[in-house]
Amino acid sequence: MRPSSRPLVASSLLLLAACSGTGVGCPGLQPLPAGYQGPRQDDPVTVRLSRDGISALNQAWPQLLALVASGQTLSFPVACTKQSFAGIASITVADQGSAGCTDPSCGALDGQCTAADVPANVPVTFTGLKLGTRPGAQGQPGALQATLTLKISTGKLYAATRGGSLLCGWNMATPIRCGIDFDGARASPDENTVVASLQLFADPEFSERLNVRMFSLDGLKVCGASGSLPPPACTDGSDLELTDEPGGCCPSSNAALFKDLLLQSLSGLLEDKLREQVDALACAPCATDADCPVEEDGRRSRCDAAEGTCFNATAGRCPPAATGLEGRLDITQLLGTGTPSPADLSLVLGHGTQVDTGVTLGSRGGSVAATQAACVPALPAPVAATVPAPDFESSAPDGGFHVGISVTRGWLDGFGHALHQSGGLCLQVGSADVPQLTTGALRAVLPSLGLLTGPADAPALVVLRPQAPPTFRVGAGTFGPTGQMVDPLLTMTLAGLAVDVYGLVEDRQVRLFTATLDLVLPVSLQEDGCGKVLPVLGTLDQAVQNPRFTNSEMLSEDPQALAALLPALISAAQPGLATALTSFTLPPLGTFSISLAEAKGLTASTAVPGSFERVALFSRLVSTTSCPASPTPASLRLEGVTRGSARHGAAGWPAARVLLGESPPGT
C-alpha cells in the first residue's frame, strides 16, 4: 500500500472541492445502481449567495448567460398549433409544412397541423440580465427574479384556416393565408423586457432535492391588454408585419384586431417556450434509465430517450437534477492506498432552501462504508447533532463575501467514520515511501535490534491500524501577525491508533513492537492565488499523545524506552507530510473562479466551549479571464528539526521548521 497523498484532515474539504458542481459525478465515484442507502443528515452543507454575490453576477451577466445560452442566443422550436380567436375563427399558427415549403401541396398554409409541419426555429437573443430576489410572503417561498432584455425576430411564420373565414369578407370560401413576421426592433424601443420569477424550493416529491420552476413571467403580453406591463415590457403590435399569401386573404379591414389576436397567440407560444426551457434545465438529464436518480423511498424514474430527461410516472413530471455528488467512492484513489476501500456518499443540494436578500441552499447527505473492513473493529456511526442554520452575514470577513460554504462537524465525523469502517485508514509506510525508514534509524535507541538484523541497514515497515474513527474539532482558523497558526481550522484526532513497526529479519518482515497512541493533526486553509487554496499543517510538537507500547518481546530493551523512538518516526514522516500539502482549486461557478477570502469556524458549539459546529469558507467570485497566469509551483521544504518541549517526556517531541518558497529547478 502507498501512504496518503494528502492529510486526512483536509480530505473531506478536498472531496467537496473536487466533486461539487452541477450534476452528480466525481472522478473515482461509481454509480450506485440502487441509490444511496446510508444514513442522511439535514443540511450538512449550506451554500449562501449573498446580495454582493448577486451584484457580482450582474456585473458579469454575459458570462452568466453563457451558461444557458451559447452566444447569448437560444433557438426555440415553435410547433404548429391551432388557436381559437374569441370564437371568430380557428387559425393554425406556424403552419410551416415541410422544410422550404410555401404552399398547401407540401403542408404549408393548409390550415391543419400534420406530421409534415416542421417546427419553426425562433431565435431569442439576450442583451441584458439583472438578477434580484423577492422574499416570500404568507408562507410562500421566495423567488429569484431575472430581468431580461431580449430581441425576438421570428422570421416568416404562416397562419391559415382550413376553410373560409368571415375575416376575409363575405366570400365564405376564402381561407385566411397570412405571413406573420415579428421583429422587436421595428418599433422603439428595439428590445423587449421580460421579468421571470424563479422559485427555488426543496421538492417534497423527490427526496427534497433542489428544484426550480417558473413562478411568473411578465413582459410578453400585448401592450394595452389586460395585465400587460408598459413598454418595453410588453409586445408592441407595431413590431408585427403581415403579408398576403397566395390562395387566401390576410385581413386588412380588421387588421388591428387581427394583429392583436395573432400577437396574443404568438406571445403565448413564446411564453410557453420560455417556461419549457426553464423546466428542461431543471430536469434530470439521462441517456438510459441508469442515469435517473433513485429516491429515498426506493422509487425510480425512467429515461425518456426522446427528450433526454428522466420522467416519473407517479408524479407525472420529471424529477429535478441532483446538484452535488453521489456514488461509490474508491477511497484508494482519494488517499493513495493500494487496498480497495469503497464508501458510499451522497451530498445533494436541497432541503433548507431560502430566498431573502440573497439565496441560501441547504442539502441532504451522508456517507457509509460499502463493506466492513477486517482491519478495524465494527463500530456504530456517530449521531450528528442538530445544528442551527448558519448566519453568514454576521460572520463575514472584512470586505464582505460573494459565496459562503459551510460544512458541519457532524458530516466530517460521519465521513471519517465511513473512511475508518471501509479500511481506508489502514495504511502501511515502508522504506520505498520514506527512504529514512530503516532499521538503522532505530538501532540508536534499540541496540538489541542489531542482533536481529545485523550491522547493515534493513528496510523497515510501519502499519497503521486505527482502532477508532477520526473525530474533528472546528476552531477559529486564526493566524498570528507573523503567519503562525494560533487556532487551527480543523483538528483531527485519531484515538487509539495502533502503529506496528516491522523490520526485515532473515528475509521476512517481523513485528518489532506496537505503539498505541492518540494522533492529533491541526490543519488550516489559506488563499493561494486565484481560485486556489493551500492546506497548512500546524506544529507537530503535540501530534503524539498518550503513547503506550506492547508486543516488544523480540527486543531486550524496556518497552518504555521506545518512547524516544516516536520523535524520530515523526521526523522521518515530516518531509512526506510537507510535500503532500499542495494547493487545490475550488470548483468554478460557470465562468467564475471562487477565490477564498477567509476560512473560519462558524456557529459556536454549546457542547465544547471555544469550538464551532461548522467549517465556513467565505469567497469572492473572480472572472476566470482575470486570473493571472499560474506562478511557479510552490514547495514546502524541511529546513530542520529541533528538540521540542520536555513536557512530553525526557526526550521531548521534535519541532519542524518548514519554509514555503518556489520549487528549485529540476525538483
Side-chain angles (χ1 to χ4, degrees):
M1 292 186 289
R2 301 285 298 173
S4 170
S5 62
R6 292 189 179 106
L8 170 65
V9 71
S11 294
S12 301
L13 294 179
L14 289 166
L15 177 68
L16 293 175
C19 303
S20 295
T22 301
V24 178
C26 171
L29 274 183
Q30 301 300 318
L32 295 172
Y36 176 75
Q37 302 295 316
R40 287 179 170 88
Q41 303 172 25
D42 290 340
D43 301 322
V45 170
T46 306
V47 180
R48 172 73 175 176
L49 176 65
S50 71
R51 180 164 51 188
D52 288 346
I54 293 175
S55 297
L57 293 177
N58 287 335
Q59 292 174 13
W61 64 265
Q63 295 98 309
L64 188 61
L65 268 177
L67 298 178
V68 294
S70 178
Q72 298 174 209
T73 299
L74 287 176
S75 183
F76 295 103
V78 177
C80 179
T81 181
K82 186 163 287 190
Q83 302 284 326
S84 178
F85 292 96
I88 299 175
S90 180
I91 302 179
T92 302
V93 180
D95 189 6
Q96 305 300 103
S98 58
C101 179
T102 58
D103 62 68
S105 65
C106 49
L109 294 162
D110 61 359
Q112 57 184 341
C113 293
T114 67
D117 290 295
V118 177
N121 286 319
V122 175
V124 175
T125 301
F126 298 95
T127 58
L129 169 65
K130 183 178 180 180
L131 295 176
T133 59
R134 189 183 69 187
Q138 299 179 348
Q140 294 296 315
L144 181 66
Q145 285 193 323
T147 301
L148 296 155
T149 54
L150 46 85
K151 293 184 177 182
I152 303 174
S153 180
T154 64
K156 183 178 283 191
L157 304 178
Y158 292 132
T161 56
R162 179 71 170 158
S165 171
L166 286 173
L167 293 176
C168 287
W170 295 107
N171 187 350
M172 297 291 293
T174 303
I176 291 176
R177 288 182 180 173
C178 286
I180 58 177
D181 187 343
F182 179 85
D183 188 340
R186 285 197 177 100
S188 180
D190 62 356
E191 297 175 322
N192 289 82
T193 298
V194 175
V195 180
S197 294
L198 308 175
Q199 280 191 337
L200 310 178
F201 65 101
D203 198 323
E205 288 192 272
F206 294 106
S207 305
E208 298 190 79
R209 285 197 303 279
L210 176 66
N211 204 347
V212 181
R213 67 181 170 204
M214 183 83 76
F215 179 69
S216 63
L217 183 64
D218 298 316
L220 290 177
K221 293 186 184 304
V222 178
C223 295
S226 175
S228 70
L229 299 176
C234 61
T235 305
D236 192 335
S238 301
D239 290 327
L240 185 66
E241 186 177 84
L242 304 180
T243 57
D244 291 317
E245 299 299 325
C249 83
C250 194
S252 57
S253 60
N254 298 304
L257 171 62
F258 188 58
K259 287 177 90 172
D260 283 351
L261 293 175
L262 287 174
L263 275 176
Q264 290 176 19
S265 172
L266 186 59
S267 63
L269 287 173
L270 292 175
E271 183 173 333
D272 289 343
K273 291 303 176 184
L274 283 171
R275 290 180 179 274
E276 288 176 9
Q277 187 73 17
V278 172
D279 290 344
L281 290 172
C283 287
C286 65
T288 67
D289 288 347
D291 299 326
C292 295
V294 180
E295 307 306 327
E296 292 183 22
D297 60 6
R299 289 181 297 120
R300 181 158 212 161
S301 301
R302 299 298 178 189
C303 183
D304 183 340
E307 296 293 331
T309 59
C310 301
F311 184 80
N312 188 277
T314 303
R317 57 190 176 95
C318 69
T323 301
L325 61 94
E326 187 168 281
R328 177 158 293 173
L329 176 68
D330 181 358
I331 299 180
T332 62
Q333 294 184 15
L334 179 65
L335 295 180
T337 64
T339 301
S341 306
D344 295 345
L345 304 174
S346 177
L347 189 55
V348 179
L349 292 180
H351 194 257
T353 298
Q354 181 179 348
V355 178
D356 40 54
T357 58
V359 178
T360 300
L361 303 178
S363 61
R364 289 268 293 161
S367 54
V368 66
T371 56
Q372 175 65 47
C375 61
V376 295
L379 298 172
V383 178
T386 301
V387 180
D391 183 355
F392 287 96
E393 269 75 8
S394 66
S395 303
D398 294 340
F401 73 102
H402 293 158
V403 178
I405 304 173
S406 78
V407 183
T408 63
R409 180 183 56 81
W411 192 88
L412 295 174
D413 284 345
F415 182 60
H417 178 269
L419 289 177
H420 176 265
Q421 293 292 279
S422 69
L425 304 183
C426 297
L427 308 177
Q428 68 179 33
V429 181
S431 300
D433 308 306
V434 180
Q436 300 92 331
L437 194 57
T438 65
T439 56
L442 307 179
R443 281 200 306 269
V445 183
L446 300 173
S448 63
L449 186 59
L451 300 177
L452 297 173
T453 63
D457 290 350
L461 179 68
V462 175
V463 177
L464 307 182
R465 294 181 293 106
Q467 302 305 295
T471 57
F472 295 87
R473 173 192 178 273
V474 180
T478 53
F479 292 85
T482 60
Q484 76 277 20
M485 191 181 300
V486 175
D487 187 7
L489 180 66
L490 283 175
T491 303
M492 186 200 76
T493 299
L494 266 174
L497 174 64
V499 182
D500 294 319
V501 178
Y502 292 80
L504 191 65
V505 178
E506 295 182 357
D507 297 325
R508 66 186 182 94
Q509 291 287 354
V510 176
R511 185 169 62 185
L512 304 176
F513 62 90
T514 299
T516 304
L517 50 91
D518 299 336
L519 182 64
V520 181
L521 293 178
V523 171
S524 289
L525 299 176
Q526 288 183 330
E527 187 271 339
D528 188 37
C530 196
K532 291 188 176 182
V533 177
L534 177 68
V536 180
L537 185 64
T539 178
L540 299 182
D541 63 349
Q542 298 184 53
V544 176
Q545 299 179 10
N546 192 26
R548 52 266 191 207
F549 301 90
T550 55
N551 302 322
S552 60
E553 292 82 3
M554 295 191 67
L555 303 172
S556 61
E557 288 80 15
D558 187 326
Q560 292 305 315
L562 298 173
L565 275 178
L566 294 179
L569 292 176
I570 292 178
S571 297
Q574 179 69 36
L577 288 173
T579 56
L581 293 176
T582 57
S583 297
F584 62 91
T585 302
L586 290 171
L589 181 61
T591 59
F592 298 93
S593 291
I594 299 179
S595 180
L596 181 67
E598 186 177 17
K600 63 194 301 184
L602 194 65
T603 309
S605 172
T606 57
V608 183
S611 67
F612 301 86
E613 292 296 338
R614 296 178 182 269
V615 178
L617 307 181
F618 292 90
S619 59
R620 300 185 68 82
L621 299 175
V622 180
S623 174
T624 53
T625 58
S626 66
C627 288
S630 299
T632 302
S635 66
L636 287 170
R637 178 163 53 91
L638 183 64
E639 181 72 6
V641 178
T642 59
R643 185 68 66 188
S645 169
R647 59 181 288 194
H648 302 294
W653 301 143
R657 299 192 304 276
V658 181
L659 300 184
L660 177 65
E662 292 186 351
S663 297
T667 61

